[in-house]
Amino acid sequence: MCGIIGFLGNGEAVPVLLDGLRRLEYRGYDSAGIAVLNQEGIVRRRAAGKIANLEAMLTSNGVAGKAGVGHTRWATHGAPTRRNAHPHMTGRVAVVHNGIIENYRTLRDDMRAGGRRFESETDTEVVAHLFDALLEAEGTPAAAMTALMERLEGMFALAILIEGDDVVLAGARRGAPLAVGWGEGGLFLASDAIALAGHTRKVSYLEEDDLALVRRDGVEILGTGGHPVKRPVVDTELSGAVIGKGNYRHFMEKEIHEQPVAVGETLGRYLDPDAGSITIPGASLGPGAVERMTLIACGTAYYAALIGKYWLERLARLPADADIASEFRYRQAPMVEGGLGVFISQSGETADTLAAMRYARGLGRTVLAVTNTETSTVAREADLVLATHAGPEIGVAATKTFTSQVAVLFCLAVATARDRGTIDHHEVARLAGVLTTLPSTLARVIAMEEEFRQIAWDVAEARHVLYLGRGTSAIVAMEGALKLKEISYIHAEAHAAGEMKHGPIALIDEHVPVIVVAPGDELFDKTMSNVEEARARGGRIILITDEAGAADAGPVADRMVVLPAVDSLVTPLVHAIPVQMIAYHAAMRKGTDVDQPRNLAKSVTVE
Ligand code: M6R
């Protein structure tokens, strides 16, 4: 959600903070602000809207100082105005915050009664006042931070700039990530290592309820109870170049194009093409070990979960459920003995997914994480991590992490099927062969971009769009509808094609493009019957199919794209690309903000 950064160093803080905020902007872009410490005390600059507005303000009204904190906001409490922008200041402190302070009303009422005055509608300002008061009462930042953690409820990460103490920055983590960066030119606190790319690769990730006290001579990390603890310093392998846009206009465009490499890198961890084998290291998946799998995630990752469910049922004949994380624990879903929870999250920090995972652990179930962030909370708390190796994904719309998740889930389904004896080693070797050629097929599909762009320009004129498919193609259709809504703001719905006649067909008229995802598989003819029904009611049909489908389709479609043929099992990976590109080019045509669509944030660390 929000991005936070703190810096204490030898050089000027503002360029470092701004650079970090630009890298964190994917986490939220409702407002931005910085506070720096200099001879005058703490000086603050804030602006509503994107970081560019803050930069413009700093150009005309700059501030100097060698320590500071910065924030880019995704609004939770209070409108995205300058008044509600972080940092929030009072007395000797300036606070930036990611997450939610759940008991802020009670704390604010108590402090108001004690004479403190609040300027904003945020929960964060309560932290500033409370910490300032505790600093007075306790005398040291360490004691004040410990007392602060006892008083705050919720999930949050904090970075606090302190005037008049050798502890210049204090950080805390509870439920939202915070990293300490160890640079040559200074010390850092940041929501994630991406913020520090170009400044340092040496990072320590705080654990739950850790505090970090940053002085000129180093960082002291205190664990629960205020005792000093050591957290490993890891090399993040992130460089400024890795997370730049390169020659692309948008991160989303770049990330769509990176899919052959992302999927190839990911498959490389589970697939041995020479041996014709697919393995999930560390997992026992056979009968007795796993009786059921429950795949849980949010948004795009949930669609990956649904595809995984189809494969687990079909290939491994294993009962499998896919569930939305935000619903799972609140309905107190049972998980049977021998049930394995599979939690899918590119960021590994999604609050709903994390909470659902903790619920499953609370039931005593083994939990497995599929994540693109091996240092994330989801990864750290899982019994086993199946990493995707897609590289950093900055565009808010998930693309390469989706196909990478789907690739891992295919490997999981194949390995489970082998362990359950529902497929033999010949079939595993055949499927390993299918996967081996997949990255090059993805590259061929990406090369068809101009065809997808033409469709997108047509779609961009519509107010409503329908996506249809059957089997795993229905899930690709759902992902296509989500992508279109998310970045082009066009209303889109996806349905399993067979469901149309039970209601959604009433939506169809000549103004509604109907995008049909239908590879030439065993469901093709059934899908085409539903397409005929839509066409008979004036629907404009855009058919995404393959060579076999094109041969069978007849003159049903107003437009058709013909993708390379692949084994019918892996079509979701191939057919995901056109729906991503249609959404991307529709957004381009409409001129919306592709990488930072309105109201959204990349990493959703609040419930
Ligand atoms: O980081 P996660 O995979 O847990 O994120 C889950 C969703 O928030 C995410 O997939 C979201 O739906 C994307 N913006 C979709 O493009």
Side-chain angles (χ1 to χ4, degrees):
M1 303 261 73
C2 304
I4 66 179
I5 182 163
F7 171 70
L8 170 61
N10 306 325
E12 282 301 316
V14 168
V16 177
L17 296 175
L18 281 178
D19 189 45
L21 289 182
R22 275 184 228 110
R23 296 178 196 283
L24 290 172
E25 199 170 19
Y26 73 94
R27 301 176 75 94
Y29 29 84
D30 287 333
S31 66
I34 56 145
V36 296
L37 183 63
N38 59 28
Q39 300 86 327
E40 292 167 35
I42 297 178
V43 188
R44 170 173 71 172
R45 297 285 184 272
R46 300 179 294 170
K50 294 197 170 185
I51 287 158
N53 298 351
L54 176 68
E55 285 179 76
M57 174 185 283
L58 284 162
T59 308
S60 57
N61 188 13
V63 280
K66 297 191 171 164
V69 288
H71 188 266
T72 180
R73 180 169 186 240
W74 188 81
T76 59
H77 295 63
T81 58
R82 181 163 172 271
R83 192 163 56 90
N84 287 327
H86 303 210
H88 290 282
M89 287 174 60
T90 188
R92 292 165 53 203
V93 305
V95 175
V96 290
H97 159 222
N98 169 30
I100 289 180
I101 309 298
E102 288 172 357
N103 58 337
Y104 84 102
R105 278 201 190 85
T106 319
L107 293 170
R108 191 181 55 195
D109 292 348
D110 289 351
M111 287 189 283
R112 268 193 183 137
R116 286 195 172 253
R117 291 186 51 217
F118 292 82
E119 294 175 348
S120 75
E121 303 153 86
T122 65
D123 51 345
T124 310
E125 195 180 3
V126 167
V127 180
H129 280 275
L130 183 57
F131 184 68
D132 184 56
L134 290 169
L135 203 51
E136 274 314 300
E138 303 285 340
T140 66
M145 285 298 284
T146 305
L148 181 74
M149 294 299 273
E150 282 167 14
R151 300 284 300 278
L152 297 182
E153 291 170 15
M155 294 171 74
F156 51 83
L158 298 168
I160 306 181
L161 182 65
I162 304 167
E163 184 187 345
D165 200 283
D166 67 332
V167 175
V168 180
L169 292 171
R173 177 212 154 105
R174 179 179 292 159
L178 192 67
V180 173
W182 313 85
E184 299 276 300
L187 300 162
F188 301 83
L189 297 173
S191 294
D192 64 41
I194 285 177
L196 309 181
H199 298 289
T200 182
R201 294 179 177 198
K202 302 247 168 287
V203 163
S204 301
Y205 293 94
L206 295 191
E207 303 273 336
E208 281 301 272
D209 275 21
D210 277 359
L211 303 176
L213 304 172
V214 186
R215 301 179 175 88
R216 287 234 156 251
D217 59 359
V219 183
E220 184 184 11
I221 301 178
L222 307 178
T224 318
H227 304 295
V229 286
K230 292 238 176 291
R231 300 297 175 217
V233 180
V234 294
D235 197 324
T236 66
E237 293 175 7
L238 286 171
S239 73
V242 169
I243 57 174
K245 276 189 241 178
N247 293 327
Y248 294 94
R249 289 161 295 184
H250 296 102
F251 281 110
M252 183 183 180
E253 184 188 24
K254 173 172 174 262
E255 288 155 5
I256 288 173
H257 281 256
E258 284 173 346
Q259 287 178 103
V261 174
V263 169
E265 285 284 324
T266 300
L267 286 174
R269 314 299 163 122
Y270 307 99
L271 165 73
D272 182 340
D274 297 330
S277 65
I278 293 170
T279 44
I280 301 294
S284 308
L285 300 164
V290 178
E291 301 300 339
R292 185 174 202 103
M293 277 195 212
T294 305
L295 300 97
I296 296 170
C298 302
T300 287
Y302 168 65
Y303 295 139
L306 275 171
I307 292 171
K309 164 190 161 73
Y310 275 53
W311 282 333
L312 284 160
E313 288 175 345
R314 179 165 169 179
L315 282 173
R317 312 303 304 149
L318 180 74
D321 312 298
D323 226 306
I324 295 167
S326 57
E327 290 292 322
F328 185 68
R329 73 179 171 132
Y330 290 116
R331 65 168 205 274
Q332 299 180 3
M335 291 181 77
V336 295
E337 195 84 30
L340 176 71
V342 181
F343 293 83
I344 306 162
S345 172
Q346 78 79 23
S347 63
E349 300 293 350
T350 299
D352 290 320
T353 307
L354 186 56
M357 187 169 122
R358 287 174 178 162
Y359 168 82
R361 286 199 73 112
L363 295 178
R365 299 295 162 256
T366 302
V367 303
L368 192 155
V370 177
T371 181
N372 201 41
T373 317
E374 287 179 87
T375 50
S376 64
T377 313
V378 163
R380 283 209 302 269
E381 294 191 12
D383 295 302
L384 183 67
V385 177
L386 306 190
T388 54
H389 292 270
E393 187 177 71
I394 308 296
V396 163
T399 52
K400 62 177 180 174
T401 56
F402 172 68
T403 41
S404 299
Q405 287 163 353
V406 170
V408 169
L409 292 171
F410 187 75
C411 294
L412 178 65
V414 172
T416 307
R418 182 204 51 219
D419 289 1
R420 291 173 64 80
T422 52
I423 60 175
D424 62 17
H425 71 275
H426 296 296
E427 180 64 357
V428 174
R430 188 186 75 78
L431 292 172
V434 167
L435 291 183
T436 306
T437 57
L438 196 57
S440 65
T441 308
L442 299 186
R444 282 165 59 206
V445 177
I446 287 168
M448 296 170 66
E449 181 162 11
E450 178 53 24
E451 289 186 56
F452 309 137
R453 188 189 62 75
Q454 286 177 20
I455 291 171
W457 282 34
D458 186 13
V459 166
E461 305 300 318
R463 293 192 59 206
H464 309 282
V465 177
L466 271 180
Y467 284 77
L468 301 179
R470 278 178 180 255
T472 51
S473 298
I475 318 302
V476 174
M478 289 174 199
E479 172 61 1
L482 176 64
K483 287 285 94 88
L484 192 69
K485 280 185 279 213
E486 207 175 10
I487 59 167
S488 74
Y489 316 146
I490 297 170
H491 170 237
E493 285 188 20
H495 295 278
E499 273 293 291
M500 283 293 286
K501 55 191 177 293
H502 300 292
I505 200 165
L507 294 170
I508 289 181
D509 64 23
E510 65 278 14
H511 303 297
V512 179
V514 181
I515 300 180
V516 184
V517 183
D521 58 15
E522 71 278 12
L523 297 171
F524 185 79
D525 291 342
K526 292 272 180 231
T527 308
M528 283 306 111
S529 303
N530 306 129
V531 169
E532 292 286 7
E533 291 152 12
R535 185 175 153 79
R537 285 151 182 91
R540 279 190 287 134
I541 309 298
I542 297 164
L543 179 62
I544 300 172
T545 186
D546 54 19
E547 286 142 14
D552 273 7
V556 69
D558 295 270
R559 280 178 176 274
M560 178 162 75
V561 286
V562 184
L563 305 182
V566 286
D567 187 279
S568 63
L569 278 169
V570 298
T571 54
L573 284 142
V574 175
H575 288 237
I577 288 174
V579 300
Q580 294 168 350
M581 281 193 166
I582 289 170
Y584 173 73
H585 285 289
M588 283 288 289
R589 179 72 168 161
K590 291 195 73 182
T592 55
D593 191 337
V594 169
D595 282 335
Q596 296 174 344
R598 69 186 180 202
N599 304 340
L600 291 172
K602 180 74 180 163
S603 173
V604 186
T605 54
V606 294
E607 277 197 65

